[in-house]
Amino acid sequence: DAGVIQSPRHEVTEMGQEVTLRCKPISGHNSLFWYRQTMMRGLELLIYFNNNVPIDDSGMPEDRFSAKMPNASFSTLKIQPSEPRDSAVYFCASSFRRATNEKLFFGSGTQLSVL
Amino acid sequence: RKEVEQDPGPFNVPEGATVAFNCTYSNSASQSFFWYRQDCRKEPKLLMSVYSSGNEDGRFTAQLNRASQYISLLIRDSKLSDSATYLCVVNNFGNEKLTFGTGTRLTIIP
C-alpha cells in the first residue's frame, strides 16, 4: 500500500486566493482526519470523518475552511479566501477504527504558504 | 490549561546516554495514550502505545501515572537516529479525537 497520499506537497498562493488540499487515505481505512501544524500551536485537529461522514468539525477555525469526503478514497480541505495566518503544514491521516487504540497513519503533508 | 503539555526542550543528550521526558494531560477521563515520533520536515509516526502497566519496546519504555496524570518516555542507550521530536498523544474514551502535545525536541550528540 502506498500509504496516505496528499497533494500538493507545497502550495504558495496569494492572500485571497482559494486553496484546495487533497488526500487519499489508505484503502480499507474508515476514518480520516485533517490536522494543521504550526510551530506555535503544534498539531491541531481540524475535522474528522468516519465512513465518509463528518463527525467533528469543531476544530475548523472559521467559515473560510471547509472539508468534504465524497467517497471512501478521497477528501479535500478548502480554504477560501486564504489569509497569511493560514500558512502551516496540513496533514491528512487515516485509520481503521477499532476500540480506542487505533493507529493513525499520516500523509507527508502539504506545506502551505499564503503571501 | 492545555489538554496535553510537554516540555518543548530542546534536550541535547550525548550518544549512549539515557533520556526521559514527561507529558501531562488535563482530562482525567483520558483513556488511551501514545508517543509519536516526528522527524524534521516529516509526518508523525506512531512510536508506541502506553499501557496502564507500562510497556517496553527495545530501548524505549513508556509509563502511565493516572494519579498524577502524566505519561513518560525513557530512551536508553540513545542513538544518533533517535534525534527527533517526540509527541505525546491522548485520546478520550469513545472518541476518535487524538490530542497532540506540541512535542519535545531531542538531539543526540555524537
Side-chain angles (χ1 to χ4, degrees):
Chain A
D1 199 315
V4 177
I5 299 173
Q6 289 187 247
S7 64
R9 287 297 304 274
H10 303 276
E11 177 79 29
V12 181
T13 190
E14 292 185 345
M15 182 174 63
Q17 296 297 307
E18 176 181 302
V19 174
T20 300
L21 311 181
R22 297 172 176 80
C23 175
K24 177 178 168 40
I26 292 174
S27 176
H29 282 189
N30 58 1
S31 294
L32 183 139
F33 306 77
W34 282 101
Y35 282 88
R36 176 173 67 176
Q37 187 173 38
T38 60
M39 287 290 291
M40 291 299 294
R41 301 170 70 92
L43 266 168
E44 300 174 284
L45 178 65
L46 301 177
I47 185 172
Y48 79 91
F49 297 82
N50 187 252
N51 293 323
N52 311 338
V53 176
I55 303 300
D56 187 338
D57 65 354
S58 59
M60 297 285 260
E62 48 197 272
D63 292 345
R64 296 184 298 106
F65 286 69
S66 62
K68 294 182 180 179
M69 192 165 185
N71 56 62
S73 59
F74 183 66
S75 177
T76 59
L77 177 68
K78 184 179 292 186
I79 308 172
Q80 179 185 24
S82 57
E83 296 183 2
R85 59 191 168 123
D86 301 331
S87 298
V89 180
Y90 290 80
F91 286 104
C92 174
S94 71
S95 70
F96 179 70
R97 185 183 183 189
R98 57 182 183 280
T100 57
N101 281 334
E102 71 265 6
K103 175 181 176 180
L104 273 187
F105 294 82
F106 283 82
S108 300
T110 295
Q111 173 76 60
L112 173 65
S113 298
V114 183
L115 306 177
Chain B
R1 183 183 174 189
K2 290 182 179 178
E3 282 191 66
V4 180
E5 293 201 66
Q6 295 182 251
D7 181 343
F11 284 59
N12 297 315
V13 175
E15 190 176 7
T18 295
V19 60
F21 24 83
N22 292 340
C23 161
T24 59
Y25 59 95
S26 61
N27 189 343
S28 59
S30 297
Q31 292 290 323
S32 302
F33 309 89
F34 311 88
W35 284 102
Y36 275 68
R37 171 193 168 129
Q38 186 173 24
D39 292 301
C40 188
R41 300 184 187 281
K42 298 287 189 179
E43 71 274 20
K45 293 183 179 178
L46 178 66
L47 177 66
M48 60 196 302
S49 301
V50 185
Y51 303 122
S52 297
S53 56
N55 49 300
E56 192 173 304
D57 183 1
R59 297 181 294 107
F60 297 81
T61 300
Q63 295 280 353
L64 168 63
N65 185 316
R66 286 192 182 276
S68 301
Q69 294 183 206
Y70 75 84
I71 65 172
S72 63
L73 179 66
L74 178 82
I75 306 174
R76 290 181 300 277
D77 187 24
S78 53
K79 312 289 185 191
L80 296 177
S81 57
D82 295 334
S83 297
T85 295
Y86 290 84
L87 302 167
C88 171
V89 187
V90 173
N91 167 265
N92 299 325
F93 181 74
N95 186 334
E96 290 185 271
K97 292 173 64 171
L98 294 183
T99 301
F100 284 75
T102 52
T104 297
R105 186 174 171 188
L106 174 65
T107 300
I108 305 301
I109 303 166

